[in-house]
């Protein structure tokens, strides 16, 4: 991260954005009308990294949801999650009632393309498969005009951005199992079928169900919702989930509903990220493999018993849906960082402390990172967001520092998704880790330094198994970093309420509060200058690359003349 030629870069970026993005140009014009041209320009050029406006009032503690019947279980999931953070929420099936209620609450519309009446400001929850016929020019316009867009599938994020949905509006919100429990008010008195399928039928589903009916007694339900559906479902032992499209996204709304009802589920796999959220809750069979599907159903039937619908205790539970929803609330100042940590620090699921910090909505950066074979060493942490990007970045690091402290970690490695692993990275990494574990005289190891201070002092130099180490007193560079236990304790004290961008970005805070920075020469990693920085924009990459090169040359010179 950096703070370079801010006014010049922002002026150029602003002009390009104004000319190439009509929607952003319109938003800026509206701000000018509200605050005046002079004040709007002043805020943009002078205070753009500390000044922002939330789309909805942070003090609003009430949501209203408009949903079609088929996504009502998801609306209940949403409401249940909000209630745990003391938000009120009312669910509507009628758009007229919803319009009235939304005037005093934050409106969220599930599958907004099916409704004729919508409020001027609303959050759209996009629930369609990318191959769906619903994706028309008018639907894309609807999404672009929404205040925010929640997207259930990671694979759809780049698709939406390619069709004009802005990064700033787009939030990944995967539909995952939680502690939601839906009662069946009138369960059927007896089990009559082995398996049940519910949903729309097409040729693919009919063909698979025909094969399954040769092995099992099969119940098929169409066009049924709510308690009447649940009564019918209770006539079978197991719910089977079959994709409508070949290569479809996982039908997460249906799966969450089935799990919340207490049913055992066998589903076709997709191979996408969303499968991981359900791997401990349902049984997966390979897609387009009828024999595997039959085998998994037989296994599930052999061990079938009526579910008691027990959920994990609040002290040990972690739910990804809650995490990503609260991540949005945090970004809009509707939830404090302290509360966010209170909810998720005790139970955040992590065992690998080589971590890559990456925003799921930054599709290009995520793809570039994952394209490198070395990425397999790392667990991805979905970075936190804020209207002030640098503040979201700082909160991401503070969360990770606090998490490592809580778990008593002695050595943690955190990289960012614009890192480039050099050809001999793996062999050098092993040497560096061994040195760090055996040496107490360091606080942070930087795989590269992006901005070497003019006042830097070389404290000591080492040669260990052919690797040259330099210990200095100041450094800025978070692209690839190891942290000691001592540094974690210091850095976790970073204060998100201090909105001074010149001193309180997390890298500047680190430079001013630590004194023992270790690095290698040549630098262990490099930085991808072609990727867009979510903090500083596209143009900053080249400047960043230049600073890194100058820092390395300067440090080599200093190491030769200590």
């Amino acid at each position: 991260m950096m703070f370079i030629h801010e006014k010049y870069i922002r002026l150029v970026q602003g002009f390009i954005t104004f000319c190439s993005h009509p929607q952003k140009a319109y938003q800026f014009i509206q701000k000018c009308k509200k605050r005046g041209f002079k004040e709007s320009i002043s805020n943009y050029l002078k205070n753009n990294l500390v000044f922002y406006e939330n789309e909805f009032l942070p003090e609003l503690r009430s949501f209203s949801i408009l949903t079609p019947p088929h996504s009502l279980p998801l609306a209940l999931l949403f409401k249940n999650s909000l209630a745990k953070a003391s938000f009120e929420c009312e669910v509507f099936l009628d758009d007229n009632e919803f319009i009235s209620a939304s005037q005093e609450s934050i409106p969220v519309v599930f599958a907004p393309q099916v409704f004729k009446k919508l409020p001027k400001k609303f959050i759209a929850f996009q629930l369609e498969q990318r191959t769906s016929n619903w994706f028309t020019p008018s639907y894309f316009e609807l999404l672009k005009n929404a205040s925010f867009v929640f997207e259930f599938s990671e694979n759809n994020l780049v698709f939406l951005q390619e069709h004009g949905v802005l990064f700033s509006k787009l939030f990944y919100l995967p539909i995952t199992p939680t502690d939601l429990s839906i009662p069946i008010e009138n369960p059927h008195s007896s089990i009559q079928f082995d398996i049940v399928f519910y949903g729309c039928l097409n040729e693919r589903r009919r063909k698979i169900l025909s094969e399954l009916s040769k092995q099992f007694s099969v119940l098929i339900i169409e066009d049924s919702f709510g308690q009447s559906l649940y009564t019918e479902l209770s006539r079978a032992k197991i719910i089977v989930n079959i994709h409508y499209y070949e290569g479809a996204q996982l039908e997460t709304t249906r799966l969450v509903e089935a799990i919340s009802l207490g049913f055992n589920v066998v589903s076709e796999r997709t191979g996408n990220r969303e499968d991981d959220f359900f791997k401990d809750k349902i049984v997966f069979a390979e897609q387009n493999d009828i024999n595997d599907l039959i085998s998994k159903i037989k296994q599930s039937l052999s061990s079938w018993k009526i579910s008691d619908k027990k959920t994990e205790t609040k002290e040990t539970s972690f739910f990804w849906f809650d995490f990503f929803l609260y991540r949005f609330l945090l970004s809009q100042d509707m939830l404090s960082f302290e509360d966010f940590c209170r909810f998720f620090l005790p139970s955040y699921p992590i065992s690998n402390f080589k971590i890559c910090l990456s925003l799921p909505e930054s599709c290009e950066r995520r793809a570039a990172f994952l394209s490198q074979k070395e990425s397999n060493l790392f667990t991805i942490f979905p970075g936190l967001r804020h209207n002030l990007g640098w503040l979201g970045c700082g909160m991401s690091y503070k969360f990770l520092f606090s998490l490592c402290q809580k778990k008593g970690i002695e050595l943690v490695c955190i990289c960012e998704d614009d890192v480039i692993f050099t050809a001999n990275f793996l062999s050098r990494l092993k040497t560096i880790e061994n040195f760090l574990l055996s040496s107490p005289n360091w606080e942070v190891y930087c795989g590269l330094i992006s901005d070497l201070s003019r006042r830097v002092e070389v404290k000591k130099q080492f040669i260990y198994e052919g690797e040259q180490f330099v210990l200095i007193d100041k450094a800025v560079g978070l692209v690839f970093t190891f942290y000691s236990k001592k540094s974690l304790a210091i850095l976790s004290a970073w204060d998100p309420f201090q909105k001074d961008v010149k001193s309180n970005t997390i890298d500047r805070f680190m430079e001013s509060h630590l004194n023992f920075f270790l690095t290698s020469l040549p630098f262990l990693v490099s930085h991808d200058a072609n990727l867009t920085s979510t903090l500083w924009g596209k143009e900053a990459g080249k400047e960043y690359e230049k600073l890194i090169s100058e820092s390395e040359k300067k440090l080599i010179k200093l190491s030769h003349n200590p």
Side-chain angles (χ1 to χ4, degrees):
M1 297 189 297
M2 57 183 175
F3 186 79
I4 335 161
H5 310 306
E6 178 192 334
K7 291 183 181 179
Y8 171 76
I9 291 174
R10 288 289 292 178
L11 188 61
V12 172
Q13 287 176 337
F15 181 76
I16 293 172
T17 301
F18 190 91
C19 295
S20 58
H21 293 280
Q23 188 179 4
K24 282 193 171 183
Y26 173 77
Q27 290 174 345
F28 183 73
I29 291 170
Q30 294 303 112
K31 285 186 178 181
C32 289
K33 288 182 178 179
K34 181 179 179 181
R35 295 184 172 272
F37 179 78
K38 185 176 180 180
E39 183 178 348
S40 299
I41 291 292
S42 177
N43 285 330
Y44 182 77
L45 291 179
K46 296 181 180 179
N47 303 314
N48 58 4
L49 298 177
V50 296
F51 175 82
Y52 65 95
E53 291 180 288
N54 287 305
E55 187 73 12
F56 298 101
L57 293 175
E59 57 267 25
L60 280 176
R61 304 294 296 177
S62 176
F63 282 75
S64 54
I65 294 175
L66 176 63
T67 180
H70 72 268
S71 56
L72 181 57
L74 176 55
L76 298 177
L77 181 79
F78 200 100
K79 180 177 181 178
N80 178 67
S81 183
L82 287 173
K84 287 181 278 187
S86 301
F87 284 88
E88 295 180 358
C89 183
E90 194 169 0
V91 178
F92 297 89
L93 297 174
D94 180 84
D95 50 8
N96 288 312
E97 294 178 4
F98 171 75
I99 293 291
S100 176
S102 66
Q103 296 176 11
E104 302 296 330
S105 61
I106 299 169
V108 184
V109 185
F110 293 19
Q113 75 278 10
V114 307
F115 295 102
K116 293 182 179 180
K117 295 181 180 179
L118 294 172
K120 291 183 178 179
K121 290 173 60 173
F122 67 95
I123 300 170
F125 204 144
Q126 198 300 112
L127 299 172
E128 296 302 319
Q129 305 267 345
R130 64 186 301 170
T131 51
S132 168
N133 293 329
W134 280 108
F135 276 114
T136 62
S138 61
Y139 183 35
F140 283 122
E141 279 303 307
L142 188 154
L143 294 176
K144 287 190 285 186
N145 290 325
S147 299
F148 297 100
V149 177
F150 294 152
E151 171 53 55
F152 82 102
S153 170
E154 194 170 64
N155 283 356
N156 280 355
L157 293 170
V158 65
F159 176 67
L160 293 181
Q161 291 183 52
E162 288 171 350
H163 286 83
V165 179
L166 299 177
F167 166 85
S168 59
K169 289 187 171 189
L170 187 58
F171 283 81
Y172 181 45
L173 183 51
I175 302 164
T176 74
T178 71
D179 54 353
L180 175 67
S181 179
I182 302 175
I184 302 177
E185 295 175 0
N186 298 295
H188 206 272
S189 58
S190 63
I191 304 293
Q192 300 169 325
F193 295 90
D194 292 323
I195 60 175
V196 57
F197 170 84
Y198 69 105
C200 297
L201 292 177
N202 65 349
E203 183 180 351
R204 183 179 189 277
R205 284 174 167 172
R206 285 191 182 95
K207 182 178 179 181
I208 294 173
L209 288 168
S210 176
E211 290 298 315
L212 294 179
S213 66
K214 297 175 184 178
Q215 301 277 337
F216 312 103
S217 55
V218 180
L219 173 63
I220 298 173
I221 304 173
E222 292 186 89
D223 298 321
S224 183
F225 308 100
Q227 286 298 327
S228 60
L229 167 64
Y230 304 158
T231 297
E232 288 299 299
L233 291 176
S234 68
R235 299 169 65 193
K237 294 179 179 178
I238 291 172
I239 291 175
V240 63
N241 181 58
I242 302 168
H243 303 321
Y244 192 88
Y245 308 98
E246 191 167 325
Q249 312 300 327
L250 195 63
E251 295 80 2
T252 51
T253 299
R254 180 178 296 123
L255 295 180
V256 162
E257 179 178 39
I259 293 168
S260 300
L261 289 165
F263 285 100
N264 297 321
V265 182
V266 177
S267 173
E268 287 187 289
R269 189 184 302 280
T270 68
N272 296 329
R273 162 71 168 144
E274 284 71 34
D275 289 3
D276 293 340
F277 295 130
F278 289 84
K279 63 184 180 182
D280 298 326
K281 296 292 184 179
I282 68 175
V283 175
F284 278 110
E286 294 303 319
Q287 188 175 174
N288 295 325
D289 188 338
I290 189 64
N291 291 326
D292 190 45
L293 183 58
I294 290 170
S295 174
K296 295 297 171 54
I297 291 173
K298 286 182 176 179
Q299 292 174 22
S300 296
L301 286 171
S302 67
S303 59
W304 175 84
K305 63 178 181 178
I306 298 176
S307 171
D308 59 8
K309 297 174 68 170
K310 287 182 179 178
T311 59
E312 298 166 274
T313 63
K314 291 184 178 180
E315 289 75 16
T316 60
S317 60
F318 179 91
F319 304 114
W320 283 108
F321 183 84
D322 293 353
F323 178 88
F324 280 100
L325 178 57
Y326 292 10
R327 175 178 178 260
F328 167 76
L329 299 177
L330 175 67
S331 76
Q332 302 302 306
D333 296 323
M334 298 176 191
L335 186 74
S336 71
F337 181 70
E338 290 76 9
D339 283 341
F340 185 87
C341 290
R342 178 171 58 84
F343 281 116
F344 301 115
L345 271 180
S347 56
Y348 188 86
I350 190 167
S351 57
N352 174 22
F353 286 90
K354 285 187 175 67
I355 301 165
C356 175
L357 178 57
S358 175
L359 301 178
E361 300 87 0
S362 296
C363 306
E364 180 188 21
R365 292 169 62 101
R366 174 74 65 89
F369 176 76
L370 293 176
S371 69
Q372 302 177 82
K373 65 180 186 299
E374 295 85 355
S375 66
N376 292 329
L377 295 173
F378 295 84
T379 293
I380 290 181
F381 174 76
L384 307 180
R385 290 176 61 178
H386 192 271
N387 282 320
L388 298 178
W390 65 270
L391 194 57
C393 178
M395 289 191 292
S396 298
Y397 276 100
K398 182 177 175 73
F399 184 90
L400 290 174
F401 295 151
S402 302
L403 180 65
C404 294
Q405 265 200 299
K406 188 173 185 66
K407 293 184 177 292
I409 303 303
E410 299 285 338
L411 181 69
V412 61
C413 174
I414 302 176
C415 75
E416 298 183 350
D417 54 11
D418 55 356
V419 66
I420 294 179
F421 300 109
T422 53
N424 56 351
F425 170 79
L426 292 177
S427 59
R428 291 183 68 193
L429 178 65
K430 185 176 181 180
T431 300
I432 290 166
E433 284 189 274
N434 289 338
F435 179 77
L436 295 179
L437 289 169
S438 63
S439 174
N441 299 317
W442 66 280
E443 293 170 329
V444 168
Y445 169 87
C446 299
L448 65 75
I449 294 173
S450 58
D451 189 8
L452 193 66
S453 171
R454 295 177 181 178
R455 302 186 302 275
V456 68
E457 176 187 341
V458 175
K459 291 178 173 289
K460 195 175 289 188
Q461 298 186 56
F462 311 87
I463 300 293
Y464 179 83
E465 296 184 3
E467 186 78 25
Q468 182 183 358
F469 293 92
V470 182
L471 186 67
I472 55 180
D473 66 334
K474 299 178 186 298
V476 172
L478 296 178
V479 172
F480 184 96
T481 316
F482 277 99
Y483 299 90
S484 67
K485 189 174 183 179
K486 177 184 176 182
S487 70
L488 292 173
I490 296 171
L491 296 176
S492 60
W494 176 83
D495 184 359
F497 291 103
Q498 298 298 320
K499 293 183 172 62
D500 183 351
V501 70
K502 294 185 178 180
S503 64
N504 202 46
T505 58
I506 190 65
D507 53 355
R508 294 298 178 186
F509 180 85
M510 182 174 75
E511 183 184 43
S512 63
H513 286 73
L514 300 179
N515 300 296
F516 298 94
F517 296 85
L518 200 62
T519 190
S520 301
L521 291 175
F523 288 158
L524 175 63
V525 298
S526 58
H527 163 263
D528 194 336
N530 295 315
L531 297 175
T532 300
S533 169
T534 53
L535 304 186
W536 316 109
K538 183 85 174 177
E539 302 301 317
K542 300 299 181 184
E543 285 284 341
Y544 201 63
E545 188 176 37
K546 181 180 177 182
L547 283 175
I548 293 168
S549 177
E550 291 175 351
S551 295
E552 186 173 31
K553 290 176 182 177
K554 181 178 178 180
L555 192 56
I556 289 173
K557 184 177 179 180
L558 287 173
S559 68
H560 289 161
N561 302 283

